[in-house]
PDB file of all heavy atoms in Angstrom:
ATOM      1  N   LEU A  21      82.795 115.764  93.601  1.00 98.00           N
ATOM      2  CA  LEU A  21      81.306 115.604  93.711  1.00 98.00           C
ATOM      3  C   LEU A  21      80.828 114.914  94.925  1.00 98.00           C
ATOM      4  O   LEU A  21      79.783 115.231  95.433  1.00 98.00           O
ATOM      5  CB  LEU A  21      80.909 114.807  92.441  1.00 98.00           C
ATOM      6  CG  LEU A  21      80.796 115.523  91.097  1.00 98.00           C
ATOM      7  CD1 LEU A  21      80.567 114.671  89.964  1.00 98.00           C
ATOM      8  CD2 LEU A  21      79.608 116.627  91.211  1.00 98.00           C
ATOM      9  N   VAL A  22      81.592 113.925  95.401  1.00 98.00           N
ATOM     10  CA  VAL A  22      81.215 113.262  96.610  1.00 98.00           C
ATOM     11  C   VAL A  22      81.246 114.332  97.791  1.00 98.00           C
ATOM     12  O   VAL A  22      80.294 114.389  98.554  1.00 98.00           O
ATOM     13  CB  VAL A  22      82.222 112.124  96.935  1.00 98.00           C
ATOM     14  CG1 VAL A  22      81.983 111.619  98.395  1.00 98.00           C
ATOM     15  CG2 VAL A  22      82.012 110.942  95.960  1.00 98.00           C
ATOM     16  N   ASP A  23      82.331 115.095  97.848  1.00 96.00           N
ATOM     17  CA  ASP A  23      82.434 116.182  98.871  1.00 96.00           C
ATOM     18  C   ASP A  23      81.282 117.146  98.710  1.00 96.00           C
ATOM     19  O   ASP A  23      80.577 117.454  99.733  1.00 96.00           O
ATOM     20  CB  ASP A  23      83.801 116.865  98.656  1.00 96.00           C
ATOM     21  CG  ASP A  23      84.155 117.696  99.858  1.00 96.00           C
ATOM     22  OD1 ASP A  23      83.422 117.663 100.922  1.00 96.00           O
ATOM     23  OD2 ASP A  23      85.106 118.454  99.758  1.00 96.00           O
ATOM     24  N   LEU A  24      81.064 117.651  97.521  1.00 97.00           N
ATOM     25  CA  LEU A  24      80.020 118.646  97.286  1.00 97.00           C
ATOM     26  C   LEU A  24      78.619 118.133  97.672  1.00 97.00           C
ATOM     27  O   LEU A  24      77.800 118.724  98.260  1.00 97.00           O
ATOM     28  CB  LEU A  24      80.016 119.111  95.841  1.00 97.00           C
ATOM     29  CG  LEU A  24      78.955 120.115  95.473  1.00 97.00           C
ATOM     30  CD1 LEU A  24      79.095 121.426  96.246  1.00 97.00           C
ATOM     31  CD2 LEU A  24      79.040 120.393  93.960  1.00 97.00           C
ATOM     32  N   THR A  25      78.366 116.795  97.309  1.00 97.00           N
ATOM     33  CA  THR A  25      77.058 116.217  97.566  1.00 97.00           C
ATOM     34  C   THR A  25      76.830 116.176  99.083  1.00 97.00           C
ATOM     35  O   THR A  25      75.708 116.581  99.531  1.00 97.00           O
ATOM     36  CB  THR A  25      77.025 114.839  96.930  1.00 97.00           C
ATOM     37  OG1 THR A  25      77.125 114.901  95.503  1.00 97.00           O
ATOM     38  CG2 THR A  25      75.709 114.179  97.275  1.00 97.00           C
ATOM     39  N   ARG A  26      77.795 115.722  99.744  1.00 95.00           N
ATOM     40  CA  ARG A  26      77.622 115.605 101.190  1.00 95.00           C
ATOM     41  C   ARG A  26      77.468 116.934 101.903  1.00 95.00           C
ATOM     42  O   ARG A  26      76.718 117.098 102.879  1.00 95.00           O
ATOM     43  CB  ARG A  26      78.786 114.788 101.829  1.00 95.00           C
ATOM     44  CG  ARG A  26      78.731 113.364 101.386  1.00 95.00           C
ATOM     45  CD  ARG A  26      79.864 112.522 101.940  1.00 95.00           C
ATOM     46  NE  ARG A  26      79.405 111.169 102.250  1.00 95.00           N
ATOM     47  CZ  ARG A  26      79.762 110.542 103.344  1.00 95.00           C
ATOM     48  NH1 ARG A  26      80.603 111.059 104.177  1.00 95.00           N
ATOM     49  NH2 ARG A  26      79.282 109.328 103.575  1.00 95.00           N
ATOM     50  N   ARG A  27      78.263 117.885 101.441  1.00 95.00           N
ATOM     51  CA  ARG A  27      78.269 119.295 102.088  1.00 95.00           C
ATOM     52  C   ARG A  27      76.846 119.923 101.798  1.00 95.00           C
ATOM     53  O   ARG A  27      76.449 120.754 102.592  1.00 95.00           O
ATOM     54  CB  ARG A  27      79.378 120.076 101.507  1.00 95.00           C
ATOM     55  CG  ARG A  27      80.788 119.697 102.087  1.00 95.00           C
ATOM     56  CD  ARG A  27      81.802 120.651 101.512  1.00 95.00           C
ATOM     57  NE  ARG A  27      83.157 120.155 101.992  1.00 95.00           N
ATOM     58  CZ  ARG A  27      83.634 120.556 103.173  1.00 95.00           C
ATOM     59  NH1 ARG A  27      82.982 121.326 103.965  1.00 95.00           N
ATOM     60  NH2 ARG A  27      84.868 120.093 103.539  1.00 95.00           N
ATOM     61  N   SER A  28      76.222 119.617 100.658  1.00 95.00           N
ATOM     62  CA  SER A  28      75.022 120.192 100.338  1.00 95.00           C
ATOM     63  C   SER A  28      73.810 119.424 100.864  1.00 95.00           C
ATOM     64  O   SER A  28      72.631 119.820 100.526  1.00 95.00           O
ATOM     65  CB  SER A  28      74.924 120.405  98.793  1.00 95.00           C
ATOM     66  OG  SER A  28      74.939 119.179  98.115  1.00 95.00           O
ATOM     67  N   GLY A  29      74.036 118.316 101.519  1.00 94.00           N
ATOM     68  CA  GLY A  29      72.948 117.586 102.138  1.00 94.00           C
ATOM     69  C   GLY A  29      72.393 116.473 101.248  1.00 94.00           C
ATOM     70  O   GLY A  29      71.432 115.815 101.678  1.00 94.00           O
ATOM     71  N   GLY A  30      73.084 116.190 100.139  1.00 96.00           N
ATOM     72  CA  GLY A  30      72.695 115.050  99.329  1.00 96.00           C
ATOM     73  C   GLY A  30      73.218 113.758  99.844  1.00 96.00           C
ATOM     74  O   GLY A  30      73.995 113.679 100.801  1.00 96.00           O
ATOM     75  N   ARG A  31      72.845 112.703  99.144  1.00 97.00           N
ATOM     76  CA  ARG A  31      73.305 111.346  99.519  1.00 97.00           C
ATOM     77  C   ARG A  31      74.141 110.738  98.394  1.00 97.00           C
ATOM     78  O   ARG A  31      73.787 110.878  97.235  1.00 97.00           O
ATOM     79  CB  ARG A  31      72.139 110.440  99.752  1.00 97.00           C
ATOM     80  CG  ARG A  31      71.220 111.037 100.891  1.00 97.00           C
ATOM     81  CD  ARG A  31      69.905 110.170 100.998  1.00 97.00           C
ATOM     82  NE  ARG A  31      69.107 110.156  99.765  1.00 97.00           N
ATOM     83  CZ  ARG A  31      67.972 109.499  99.681  1.00 97.00           C
ATOM     84  NH1 ARG A  31      67.508 108.862 100.701  1.00 97.00           N
ATOM     85  NH2 ARG A  31      67.345 109.558  98.510  1.00 97.00           N
ATOM     86  N   VAL A  32      75.218 110.000  98.764  1.00 98.00           N
ATOM     87  CA  VAL A  32      76.153 109.378  97.818  1.00 98.00           C
ATOM     88  C   VAL A  32      75.613 107.893  97.769  1.00 98.00           C
ATOM     89  O   VAL A  32      75.758 107.202  98.814  1.00 98.00           O
ATOM     90  CB  VAL A  32      77.554 109.450  98.196  1.00 98.00           C
ATOM     91  CG1 VAL A  32      78.431 108.660  97.301  1.00 98.00           C
ATOM     92  CG2 VAL A  32      77.978 110.907  98.263  1.00 98.00           C
ATOM     93  N   ILE A  33      75.150 107.470  96.697  1.00 98.00           N
ATOM     94  CA  ILE A  33      74.662 106.096  96.511  1.00 98.00           C
ATOM     95  C   ILE A  33      75.725 105.279  95.633  1.00 98.00           C
ATOM     96  O   ILE A  33      75.895 105.677  94.468  1.00 98.00           O
ATOM     97  CB  ILE A  33      73.266 106.038  95.880  1.00 98.00           C
ATOM     98  CG1 ILE A  33      72.276 106.982  96.567  1.00 98.00           C
ATOM     99  CG2 ILE A  33      72.806 104.614  95.809  1.00 98.00           C
ATOM    100  CD1 ILE A  33      72.070 106.590  98.019  1.00 98.00           C
ATOM    101  N   ALA A  34      76.307 104.345  96.130  1.00 98.00           N
ATOM    102  CA  ALA A  34      77.309 103.537  95.423  1.00 98.00           C
ATOM    103  C   ALA A  34      76.517 102.376  94.686  1.00 98.00           C
ATOM    104  O   ALA A  34      75.772 101.692  95.245  1.00 98.00           O
ATOM    105  CB  ALA A  34      78.305 102.852  96.419  1.00 98.00           C
ATOM    106  N   ALA A  35      76.834 102.357  93.350  1.00 98.00           N
ATOM    107  CA  ALA A  35      76.240 101.261  92.519  1.00 98.00           C
ATOM    108  C   ALA A  35      77.134 100.099  92.551  1.00 98.00           C
ATOM    109  O   ALA A  35      77.904  99.821  91.609  1.00 98.00           O
ATOM    110  CB  ALA A  35      75.996 101.809  91.117  1.00 98.00           C
ATOM    111  N   GLY A  36      77.072  99.393  93.667  1.00 97.00           N
ATOM    112  CA  GLY A  36      77.875  98.110  93.770  1.00 97.00           C
ATOM    113  C   GLY A  36      78.904  98.144  94.898  1.00 97.00           C
ATOM    114  O   GLY A  36      79.434  99.164  95.258  1.00 97.00           O
ATOM    115  N   THR A  37      79.240  96.964  95.370  1.00 96.00           N
ATOM    116  CA  THR A  37      80.210  96.907  96.434  1.00 96.00           C
ATOM    117  C   THR A  37      81.601  97.309  95.901  1.00 96.00           C
ATOM    118  O   THR A  37      82.356  97.728  96.747  1.00 96.00           O
ATOM    119  CB  THR A  37      80.282  95.412  96.976  1.00 96.00           C
ATOM    120  OG1 THR A  37      80.537  94.469  95.888  1.00 96.00           O
ATOM    121  CG2 THR A  37      78.886  95.002  97.632  1.00 96.00           C
ATOM    122  N   THR A  38      81.889  97.123  94.651  1.00 96.00           N
ATOM    123  CA  THR A  38      83.168  97.513  94.166  1.00 96.00           C
ATOM    124  C   THR A  38      83.350  99.061  94.298  1.00 96.00           C
ATOM    125  O   THR A  38      84.368  99.624  94.595  1.00 96.00           O
ATOM    126  CB  THR A  38      83.327  97.200  92.685  1.00 96.00           C
ATOM    127  OG1 THR A  38      82.318  97.718  91.858  1.00 96.00           O
ATOM    128  CG2 THR A  38      83.307  95.668  92.503  1.00 96.00           C
ATOM    129  N   VAL A  39      82.215  99.793  94.063  1.00 98.00           N
ATOM    130  CA  VAL A  39      82.282 101.243  94.240  1.00 98.00           C
ATOM    131  C   VAL A  39      82.496 101.677  95.636  1.00 98.00           C
ATOM    132  O   VAL A  39      83.221 102.565  95.913  1.00 98.00           O
ATOM    133  CB  VAL A  39      80.942 101.846  93.639  1.00 98.00           C
ATOM    134  CG1 VAL A  39      80.946 103.383  93.939  1.00 98.00           C
ATOM    135  CG2 VAL A  39      80.784 101.603  92.232  1.00 98.00           C
ATOM    136  N   VAL A  40      81.847 100.994  96.568  1.00 98.00           N
ATOM    137  CA  VAL A  40      82.095 101.160  97.988  1.00 98.00           C
ATOM    138  C   VAL A  40      83.532 101.056  98.321  1.00 98.00           C
ATOM    139  O   VAL A  40      84.143 101.881  98.974  1.00 98.00           O
ATOM    140  CB  VAL A  40      81.184 100.256  98.874  1.00 98.00           C
ATOM    141  CG1 VAL A  40      81.549 100.504 100.357  1.00 98.00           C
ATOM    142  CG2 VAL A  40      79.723 100.581  98.615  1.00 98.00           C
ATOM    143  N   ARG A  41      84.125  99.963  97.878  1.00 97.00           N
ATOM    144  CA  ARG A  41      85.504  99.639  98.189  1.00 97.00           C
ATOM    145  C   ARG A  41      86.424 100.791  97.718  1.00 97.00           C
ATOM    146  O   ARG A  41      87.303 101.232  98.409  1.00 97.00           O
ATOM    147  CB  ARG A  41      85.907  98.281  97.602  1.00 97.00           C
ATOM    148  CG  ARG A  41      87.188  97.747  98.226  1.00 97.00           C
ATOM    149  CD  ARG A  41      87.611  96.412  97.681  1.00 97.00           C
ATOM    150  NE  ARG A  41      88.488  95.701  98.599  1.00 97.00           N
ATOM    151  CZ  ARG A  41      89.252  94.687  98.267  1.00 97.00           C
ATOM    152  NH1 ARG A  41      89.183  94.180  97.066  1.00 97.00           N
ATOM    153  NH2 ARG A  41      90.016  94.094  99.145  1.00 97.00           N
ATOM    154  N   ALA A  42      86.198 101.210  96.446  1.00 98.00           N
ATOM    155  CA  ALA A  42      87.027 102.279  95.869  1.00 98.00           C
ATOM    156  C   ALA A  42      86.774 103.548  96.590  1.00 98.00           C
ATOM    157  O   ALA A  42      87.775 104.226  96.930  1.00 98.00           O
ATOM    158  CB  ALA A  42      86.669 102.436  94.375  1.00 98.00           C
ATOM    159  N   LEU A  43      85.520 103.983  96.861  1.00 98.00           N
ATOM    160  CA  LEU A  43      85.319 105.244  97.505  1.00 98.00           C
ATOM    161  C   LEU A  43      85.838 105.290  98.928  1.00 98.00           C
ATOM    162  O   LEU A  43      86.524 106.269  99.361  1.00 98.00           O
ATOM    163  CB  LEU A  43      83.829 105.559  97.547  1.00 98.00           C
ATOM    164  CG  LEU A  43      83.120 105.937  96.182  1.00 98.00           C
ATOM    165  CD1 LEU A  43      81.629 106.197  96.436  1.00 98.00           C
ATOM    166  CD2 LEU A  43      83.800 107.193  95.599  1.00 98.00           C
ATOM    167  N   GLU A  44      85.624 104.178  99.710  1.00 98.00           N
ATOM    168  CA  GLU A  44      86.074 104.215 101.070  1.00 98.00           C
ATOM    169  C   GLU A  44      87.603 104.094 101.085  1.00 98.00           C
ATOM    170  O   GLU A  44      88.247 104.684 102.095  1.00 98.00           O
ATOM    171  CB  GLU A  44      85.491 103.021 101.744  1.00 98.00           C
ATOM    172  CG  GLU A  44      83.907 103.073 101.938  1.00 98.00           C
ATOM    173  CD  GLU A  44      83.475 104.308 102.785  1.00 98.00           C
ATOM    174  OE1 GLU A  44      84.239 104.707 103.723  1.00 98.00           O
ATOM    175  OE2 GLU A  44      82.499 104.953 102.433  1.00 98.00           O
ATOM    176  N   THR A  45      88.178 103.450 100.223  1.00 98.00           N
ATOM    177  CA  THR A  45      89.780 103.458 100.102  1.00 98.00           C
ATOM    178  C   THR A  45      90.189 104.877  99.843  1.00 98.00           C
ATOM    179  O   THR A  45      91.139 105.364 100.503  1.00 98.00           O
ATOM    180  CB  THR A  45      90.246 102.486  99.118  1.00 98.00           C
ATOM    181  OG1 THR A  45      89.762 101.145  99.318  1.00 98.00           O
ATOM    182  CG2 THR A  45      91.722 102.500  99.041  1.00 98.00           C
ATOM    183  N   ALA A  46      89.628 105.547  98.906  1.00 98.00           N
ATOM    184  CA  ALA A  46      90.059 106.908  98.507  1.00 98.00           C
ATOM    185  C   ALA A  46      89.838 107.909  99.681  1.00 98.00           C
ATOM    186  O   ALA A  46      90.605 108.840  99.831  1.00 98.00           O
ATOM    187  CB  ALA A  46      89.445 107.358  97.260  1.00 98.00           C
ATOM    188  N   ALA A  47      88.781 107.672 100.481  1.00 97.00           N
ATOM    189  CA  ALA A  47      88.507 108.487 101.619  1.00 97.00           C
ATOM    190  C   ALA A  47      89.497 108.400 102.695  1.00 97.00           C
ATOM    191  O   ALA A  47      89.613 109.263 103.556  1.00 97.00           O
ATOM    192  CB  ALA A  47      87.068 108.247 102.076  1.00 97.00           C
ATOM    193  N   ARG A  48      90.256 107.261 102.676  1.00 96.00           N
ATOM    194  CA  ARG A  48      91.280 107.021 103.689  1.00 96.00           C
ATOM    195  C   ARG A  48      92.621 107.212 103.292  1.00 96.00           C
ATOM    196  O   ARG A  48      93.654 107.114 104.084  1.00 96.00           O
ATOM    197  CB  ARG A  48      91.071 105.612 104.247  1.00 96.00           C
ATOM    198  CG  ARG A  48      89.768 105.365 104.999  1.00 96.00           C
ATOM    199  CD  ARG A  48      89.417 103.840 105.065  1.00 96.00           C
ATOM    200  NE  ARG A  48      88.392 103.470 106.000  1.00 96.00           N
ATOM    201  CZ  ARG A  48      87.110 103.578 105.740  1.00 96.00           C
ATOM    202  NH1 ARG A  48      86.693 104.062 104.570  1.00 96.00           N
ATOM    203  NH2 ARG A  48      86.220 103.288 106.594  1.00 96.00           N
ATOM    204  N   GLY A  49      92.831 107.469 101.971  1.00 94.00           N
ATOM    205  CA  GLY A  49      94.236 107.516 101.438  1.00 94.00           C
ATOM    206  C   GLY A  49      94.284 107.825  99.986  1.00 94.00           C
ATOM    207  O   GLY A  49      93.494 108.761  99.561  1.00 94.00           O
ATOM    208  N   PRO A  50      95.162 107.291  99.302  1.00 96.00           N
ATOM    209  CA  PRO A  50      95.318 107.670  97.786  1.00 96.00           C
ATOM    210  C   PRO A  50      94.052 107.484  97.029  1.00 96.00           C
ATOM    211  O   PRO A  50      93.325 106.545  97.300  1.00 96.00           O
ATOM    212  CB  PRO A  50      96.477 106.721  97.334  1.00 96.00           C
ATOM    213  CG  PRO A  50      97.177 106.344  98.509  1.00 96.00           C
ATOM    214  CD  PRO A  50      96.145 106.270  99.706  1.00 96.00           C
ATOM    215  N   GLN A  51      93.868 108.256  96.006  1.00 96.00           N
ATOM    216  CA  GLN A  51      92.686 108.181  95.172  1.00 96.00           C
ATOM    217  C   GLN A  51      92.854 107.193  94.079  1.00 96.00           C
ATOM    218  O   GLN A  51      91.898 106.978  93.252  1.00 96.00           O
ATOM    219  CB  GLN A  51      92.218 109.533  94.620  1.00 96.00           C
ATOM    220  CG  GLN A  51      91.761 110.443  95.797  1.00 96.00           C
ATOM    221  CD  GLN A  51      91.261 111.803  95.285  1.00 96.00           C
ATOM    222  OE1 GLN A  51      91.102 112.711  96.091  1.00 96.00           O
ATOM    223  NE2 GLN A  51      91.127 111.997  93.958  1.00 96.00           N
ATOM    224  N   ALA A  52      94.009 106.523  93.975  1.00 96.00           N
ATOM    225  CA  ALA A  52      94.170 105.474  92.932  1.00 96.00           C
ATOM    226  C   ALA A  52      95.312 104.604  93.407  1.00 96.00           C
ATOM    227  O   ALA A  52      96.196 104.967  94.291  1.00 96.00           O
ATOM    228  CB  ALA A  52      94.600 106.087  91.569  1.00 96.00           C
ATOM    229  N   GLY A  53      95.243 103.300  92.964  1.00 95.00           N
ATOM    230  CA  GLY A  53      96.280 102.394  93.423  1.00 95.00           C
ATOM    231  C   GLY A  53      95.652 101.014  93.644  1.00 95.00           C
ATOM    232  O   GLY A  53      94.793 100.580  92.839  1.00 95.00           O
ATOM    233  N   TRP A  54      96.115 100.363  94.663  1.00 92.00           N
ATOM    234  CA  TRP A  54      95.627  99.009  95.028  1.00 92.00           C
ATOM    235  C   TRP A  54      95.033  99.041  96.350  1.00 92.00           C
ATOM    236  O   TRP A  54      95.560  99.647  97.238  1.00 92.00           O
ATOM    237  CB  TRP A  54      96.790  97.951  94.961  1.00 92.00           C
ATOM    238  CG  TRP A  54      97.261  97.697  93.619  1.00 92.00           C
ATOM    239  CD1 TRP A  54      98.117  98.491  92.830  1.00 92.00           C
ATOM    240  CD2 TRP A  54      96.855  96.586  92.801  1.00 92.00           C
ATOM    241  NE1 TRP A  54      98.326  97.879  91.585  1.00 92.00           N
ATOM    242  CE2 TRP A  54      97.577  96.723  91.542  1.00 92.00           C
ATOM    243  CE3 TRP A  54      96.042  95.514  92.934  1.00 92.00           C
ATOM    244  CZ2 TRP A  54      97.403  95.891  90.513  1.00 92.00           C
ATOM    245  CZ3 TRP A  54      95.882  94.631  91.896  1.00 92.00           C
ATOM    246  CH2 TRP A  54      96.600  94.759  90.714  1.00 92.00           C
ATOM    247  N   THR A  55      93.885  98.417  96.500  1.00 93.00           N
ATOM    248  CA  THR A  55      93.162  98.418  97.828  1.00 93.00           C
ATOM    249  C   THR A  55      92.999  96.989  98.330  1.00 93.00           C
ATOM    250  O   THR A  55      92.612  96.065  97.593  1.00 93.00           O
ATOM    251  CB  THR A  55      91.810  99.123  97.693  1.00 93.00           C
ATOM    252  OG1 THR A  55      91.092  98.993  98.942  1.00 93.00           O
ATOM    253  CG2 THR A  55      90.899  98.453  96.638  1.00 93.00           C
ATOM    254  N   SER A  56      93.250  96.879  99.618  1.00 91.00           N
ATOM    255  CA  SER A  56      93.025  95.679 100.398  1.00 91.00           C
ATOM    256  C   SER A  56      91.979  95.833 101.366  1.00 91.00           C
ATOM    257  O   SER A  56      91.678  94.965 102.206  1.00 91.00           O
ATOM    258  CB  SER A  56      94.327  95.133 101.032  1.00 91.00           C
ATOM    259  OG  SER A  56      95.357  94.873 100.116  1.00 91.00           O
ATOM    260  N   LEU A  57      91.342  97.017 101.361  1.00 94.00           N
ATOM    261  CA  LEU A  57      90.320  97.390 102.418  1.00 94.00           C
ATOM    262  C   LEU A  57      89.071  96.433 102.345  1.00 94.00           C
ATOM    263  O   LEU A  57      88.566  96.149 101.254  1.00 94.00           O
ATOM    264  CB  LEU A  57      89.820  98.820 102.165  1.00 94.00           C
ATOM    265  CG  LEU A  57      88.772  99.343 103.029  1.00 94.00           C
ATOM    266  CD1 LEU A  57      89.252  99.404 104.496  1.00 94.00           C
ATOM    267  CD2 LEU A  57      88.208 100.704 102.612  1.00 94.00           C
ATOM    268  N   VAL A  58      88.655  95.982 103.426  1.00 92.00           N
ATOM    269  CA  VAL A  58      87.481  95.226 103.628  1.00 92.00           C
ATOM    270  C   VAL A  58      86.577  96.085 104.444  1.00 92.00           C
ATOM    271  O   VAL A  58      86.744  96.179 105.627  1.00 92.00           O
ATOM    272  CB  VAL A  58      87.738  93.773 104.257  1.00 92.00           C
ATOM    273  CG1 VAL A  58      86.434  93.030 104.398  1.00 92.00           C
ATOM    274  CG2 VAL A  58      88.737  92.995 103.476  1.00 92.00           C
ATOM    275  N   VAL A  59      85.474  96.561 103.813  1.00 94.00           N
ATOM    276  CA  VAL A  59      84.602  97.444 104.521  1.00 94.00           C
ATOM    277  C   VAL A  59      83.614  96.594 105.356  1.00 94.00           C
ATOM    278  O   VAL A  59      82.991  95.639 104.830  1.00 94.00           O
ATOM    279  CB  VAL A  59      83.806  98.291 103.516  1.00 94.00           C
ATOM    280  CG1 VAL A  59      82.776  99.168 104.258  1.00 94.00           C
ATOM    281  CG2 VAL A  59      84.737  99.179 102.684  1.00 94.00           C
ATOM    282  N   THR A  60      83.508  97.031 106.611  1.00 92.00           N
ATOM    283  CA  THR A  60      82.548  96.275 107.511  1.00 92.00           C
ATOM    284  C   THR A  60      81.864  97.286 108.466  1.00 92.00           C
ATOM    285  O   THR A  60      82.144  98.420 108.367  1.00 92.00           O
ATOM    286  CB  THR A  60      83.376  95.218 108.385  1.00 92.00           C
ATOM    287  OG1 THR A  60      84.195  96.017 109.279  1.00 92.00           O
ATOM    288  CG2 THR A  60      84.208  94.323 107.540  1.00 92.00           C
ATOM    289  N   GLU A  61      81.032  96.719 109.297  1.00 92.00           N
ATOM    290  CA  GLU A  61      80.372  97.517 110.305  1.00 92.00           C
ATOM    291  C   GLU A  61      81.405  98.193 111.224  1.00 92.00           C
ATOM    292  O   GLU A  61      81.245  99.414 111.615  1.00 92.00           O
ATOM    293  CB  GLU A  61      79.429  96.692 111.145  1.00 92.00           C
ATOM    294  CG  GLU A  61      78.711  97.518 112.167  1.00 92.00           C
ATOM    295  CD  GLU A  61      77.740  96.538 113.012  1.00 92.00           C
ATOM    296  OE1 GLU A  61      77.854  95.321 112.826  1.00 92.00           O
ATOM    297  OE2 GLU A  61      76.972  97.089 113.809  1.00 92.00           O
ATOM    298  N   GLU A  62      82.500  97.535 111.442  1.00 94.00           N
ATOM    299  CA  GLU A  62      83.607  98.017 112.382  1.00 94.00           C
ATOM    300  C   GLU A  62      84.344  99.163 111.680  1.00 94.00           C
ATOM    301  O   GLU A  62      84.765 100.153 112.287  1.00 94.00           O
ATOM    302  CB  GLU A  62      84.560  96.866 112.768  1.00 94.00           C
ATOM    303  CG  GLU A  62      83.941  95.958 113.733  1.00 94.00           C
ATOM    304  CD  GLU A  62      82.862  95.002 113.076  1.00 94.00           C
ATOM    305  OE1 GLU A  62      83.007  94.750 111.873  1.00 94.00           O
ATOM    306  OE2 GLU A  62      81.915  94.595 113.781  1.00 94.00           O
ATOM    307  N   THR A  63      84.627  99.078 110.363  1.00 94.00           N
ATOM    308  CA  THR A  63      85.389 100.103 109.615  1.00 94.00           C
ATOM    309  C   THR A  63      84.458 101.371 109.487  1.00 94.00           C
ATOM    310  O   THR A  63      85.007 102.464 109.415  1.00 94.00           O
ATOM    311  CB  THR A  63      85.842  99.646 108.290  1.00 94.00           C
ATOM    312  OG1 THR A  63      84.723  99.475 107.417  1.00 94.00           O
ATOM    313  CG2 THR A  63      86.717  98.427 108.350  1.00 94.00           C
ATOM    314  N   GLY A  64      83.278 101.236 109.421  1.00 94.00           N
ATOM    315  CA  GLY A  64      82.306 102.316 109.170  1.00 94.00           C
ATOM    316  C   GLY A  64      82.434 102.863 107.773  1.00 94.00           C
ATOM    317  O   GLY A  64      83.150 102.321 106.881  1.00 94.00           O
TER     318      GLY A  64
END
């Protein structure tokens, strides 16, 4: 759904910083597991 939304011009709105951390981790690697990612302006 994230992929489809972006491809069709919609926006993905994360309801909370926890959601951002999960989505951004999955976009960079496994879709489940443990994340140590700290999302910042530098990580994008």
